Amino acid sequence: MSITMDTTLASLVTNKRRVSALKSLGIVTVGDALTYYPFRVTEPVPLRAIREAAPGQQMAFAAVIRDMRVVPMNARRGYRLEATVDDADFARSRRVPGSTARLTFFSYRKSYVDWVSMRLRAGTSVVVSGMPSEYMGQLQFTHPEILTVAPGSAGAGAGLEGYARGAASGNGAFAGSTDPYASVQSAYPPAAAASSGAALKYDADTVQEALTRVCRPCPVYHASSRISSEHIHETILGLLWMMGARTSSTPDGQLAGAGSAGIVAPTTDTIAVQNGEENSGTTAESGAEALSQSIPDVLPESVRKAKNLMHRAEAFLAIHDPASTTRFKEAIETLRYEEAFVSQTSLLKARSHAHKSAAHSCPLVTDSLRDQFIASLPFSLTAGQQQVIHDIAADLAHDWPMQRLLQGEVGSGKTVVALAAMLQAVDAGYQAVLVAPTQVLAEQHAETIGRMVEQLKPAIPVTLLTGGMKLAARRKALAAASSGEPGIIVATHAAFSKTFQAPHLALVVIDEQHRFGVEQRESLNAKTDDGTTPHLLVMTATPIPRTAAMTWFGDLDISWLTELPGGRKPIRTVVVNEADAATMGRMFAHIRARVDAGERAYIVCPRIDADDEGNEGGSGVSSAAGSARGRAAASGSSARTAAGGRATRAAADAIGIDDPYETFDENGETVARPPLHAVAEIADRLQKLPQFQGIRFATLTGRDKDDVKTQVMADFAGGETPILVSTTVIEVGVDVKQASCIVIFDADRYGLSQLHQLRGRVGRGGTNSWAFLISRAEPGSPAEQRLEVIHHSLDGAEIAQADLEFRGAGDVLGDAQSGGKSSLKLLRVVKDADMIADARTRAEQLLAADPELADEVQLAGAVLDFTRGNETFLTSS
């Protein structure tokens, strides 16, 4: 069976429970598994004889079981298993006297005790790794790692001469050899069955093999309650063995060869098919060749050699079975550079493709609609707005499509800039489309734009098109668009439907770019009759540091709006511990006072109702994965959580947190956290409080129908229901001037950028405003540190920088909200800015010589996968 990166684990792994557990982490294919990188690697365990032991310091040694007994624990349920080991042979090889120690195991499960008893029978040779302690005057190892060694010539004393050369070294290195494991056989078959004929198998054939396995650095993966880091590692090593790996990568930078430590063949009760099992004599060299064929390199050979990087197959091997921590770090750097090179190549190809397309030229004319509009504004444009409008005007005059990203703080005036651009297109006799992510926002845009252009001459038709419109109104809107009459169309996702046609479309404005994918945006290119590509203006209020923006949006020209229009007062941000009842009470009293003064308040919860338990601890709207995480989200199309997996669209509707920041213990397992608050639960609780007697509440979630959302927002803005309890559906674009307070429950579980977005919903009418962040974070925890950032800063760029450092690139740039995942798992868009710049330069040189990557088939495929996997970020391809 030929195994590739796209082969599914379900076809290889016989343990279906393990397949399911891996799938929950986003690991579905071999490629997913190999790119599920460990978050740390343990330091090598030093070899020490029992007499050299130091309490509290990890060590490993070889010994023989002298006796073993199981003792029922009378004071409490369960059993204690004690085994005495003697390291005489191993100690002799280290030129110290032999000694004994006790191995102790506790368990409530008789089946576990029986299993350990069977493995630790008297006379069995073992290799032990653990932390020694002293109990009643004797050295003791509690729950150490144990590898049993097959009897015979590979007994405890056999072959230890290779270790004698390093007997005096306390760090486990072997003197006289650059490879501390040079004495280990370079390849070996599966462990032999127990001589008794029982189903039990020995863990290793030789002491050298067993010592190598326990002493080598061990990768640690983000795990879950369903699967441990050890089982994830075991699965990945089994996959590498099946793909041809027989030994680890060697320190000299070559793929596996003689003298390297071997990878143990997986047992057939774990792996269904074993590559080459019909030829058990596979050599290390042929195994290395097979692995490189199964995992071809992505980077061009010239780039890899110039940067002195590993082959891709070698890097995977050095990450999942590292010979040393140094090799692990080198492998991580190799794959990090690969991500940088692939992403920059993809962006450069996208930019080149766009410049070859034709677009409608929309030059400015005398007494233009744009100038009329600017003159009619009741306020003066900021210097930033004037500059961006000028830049866009120059772009629209070209006969190739503009591609520009407009990033601006909440309330910085992006809509005015976008409207000026759309009027320039209409003045040239064409259509412009503004696409908004929600019906509420689309209706708001249509109303605002209609009011702003009503005095212009000639009259500008403004058409609203949403999926929730009644059939007659929808048909009328579609007919207006298909007529080709110059005008402005404001639409939701309905603009991507097959029924929508705009034959004279010259400009597309995307509001909140991270809500739309590349395929959706490209569908608008097909709306023109003449085959031209519309100009593209992408807007986002999600703050993105410049280095991150250049990384992700390298195919776009980027404009920043950093000045806020006059009249906006700073929002006062308060972090409240939910357990502090007195402060919570004062906060609710303050909100009641603001409501009595004619103002409005938002109450935001991450979940719709308390029955969404299936999504608890998942990735919310995101990851997932994410991530990420990161952390996330597998290559191409699979999903991820912060530990690895990613939520579905249904989960996205149920939970509004963009990244729940899963936390992990030192073994990579997720730490349980309290359930998230739900809209229905909080609305019910608050209405019963004395502070809110006589006040009407409303609720709003993503599950509500569009007409219900519209009515709820109208009642909220009008003051009939002055307190709105909602999910994060109010995050983007909702503009209620009277809103002065926002309370965000479970704030410690949100991303900083999302908190900044939510906070921007208040204070839009020039009144004093407050944001209350309700937290259950532990004192001194990372979650509390994150909230301190948002507490002390109103600077979106500073907040985004901190968010990147806490989370990684994907979630900040919209990965979370999209329900998709990022192909970037290792690249850090801020810390690796120099690496990204180098990769971009080399990618430019490569594309100049080979624009279609005809000579780099693997790279071309990786670029295509990257574009598909990151369609929420790339705005063209």
Side-chain angles (χ1 to χ4, degrees), residues 436-633:
T438 66
Q439 175 163 328
V440 169
L441 185 53
E443 291 173 345
Q444 201 163 284
H445 275 317
E447 181 184 350
T448 302
I449 291 171
R451 192 168 56 247
M452 285 180 159
V453 303
E454 63 184 357
Q455 302 300 325
L456 301 184
K457 302 297 181 183
I460 308 298
V462 178
T463 303
L464 175 65
L465 176 64
T466 70
M469 296 174 71
K470 292 184 178 179
L471 184 58
R474 181 180 173 84
R475 284 177 174 172
K476 183 177 179 180
L478 289 171
S482 62
S483 71
E485 178 188 2
I488 295 172
I489 303 162
V490 182
T492 57
H493 289 74
F496 305 121
S497 68
K498 293 180 180 179
T499 57
F500 175 72
Q501 297 296 325
H504 294 160
L505 184 60
L507 173 64
V508 175
V509 179
I510 303 289
D511 193 13
E512 292 306 324
Q513 58 80 28
H514 57 262
R515 302 301 177 106
F516 304 102
V518 168
E519 292 176 3
Q520 289 178 314
R521 287 190 287 267
E522 286 194 332
S523 72
L524 290 172
N525 293 349
K527 307 301 182 183
T528 58
D529 286 345
D530 50 15
T532 57
T533 299
H535 297 283
L536 178 67
L537 177 63
V538 173
M539 301 194 298
T540 179
T542 302
I544 308 169
R546 288 177 184 259
T547 50
M550 291 305 298
T551 301
W552 278 113
F553 303 107
D555 60 333
L556 302 179
D557 298 307
I558 304 177
S559 298
W560 276 269
L561 288 178
T562 56
E563 303 171 67
L564 291 180
R568 291 294 297 270
K569 295 182 179 179
I571 302 168
R572 282 172 268 191
T573 304
V574 183
V575 179
V576 181
N577 188 317
E578 190 174 343
D580 185 350
T583 303
M584 292 283 287
R586 289 196 300 273
M587 176 189 71
F588 291 134
H590 171 81
I591 292 172
R592 174 60 187 260
R594 303 321 306 162
V595 169
D596 288 343
E599 297 169 11
R600 314 281 184 270
Y602 296 105
I603 311 289
V604 179
C605 304
R607 289 167 63 194
I608 294 177
D609 54 54
D611 295 329
D612 298 318
E613 296 297 337
N615 298 316
E616 198 57 54
S619 33
V621 158
S622 74
S623 84
S627 57
R629 25 231 13 320
R631 330 145 91 126

Side-chain angles (χ1 to χ4, degrees), residues 292-320:
S292 61
Q293 290 175 352
S294 299
I295 309 175
D297 216 346
V298 168
L299 288 174
E301 186 71 8
S302 58
V303 174
R304 187 171 70 84
K305 288 185 175 179
K307 297 294 294 181
N308 194 28
L309 301 173
M310 298 179 183
H311 187 283
R312 192 175 200 228
E314 179 191 3
F316 281 135
L317 206 50
I319 286 173
H320 296 296

Side-chain angles (χ1 to χ4, degrees), residues 218-284:
C218 182
V220 182
Y221 303 82
H222 284 315
S224 70
S225 59
R226 298 180 62 187
I227 186 168
S228 66
S229 174
E230 289 79 7
H231 284 157
I232 294 171
H233 188 213
E234 176 186 78
T235 302
I236 294 174
L237 287 185
L239 296 172
L240 286 169
W241 193 93
M242 295 169 67
M243 299 176 82
R246 294 296 180 269
T247 63
S248 302
S249 59
T250 60
D252 62 4
Q254 303 298 316
L255 271 175
S260 298
I263 294 179
V264 178
T267 58
T268 54
D269 57 355
T270 302
I271 299 292
V273 180
Q274 294 184 11
N275 184 28
E277 61 187 354
E278 73 288 345
N279 179 13
S280 58
T282 302
T283 65

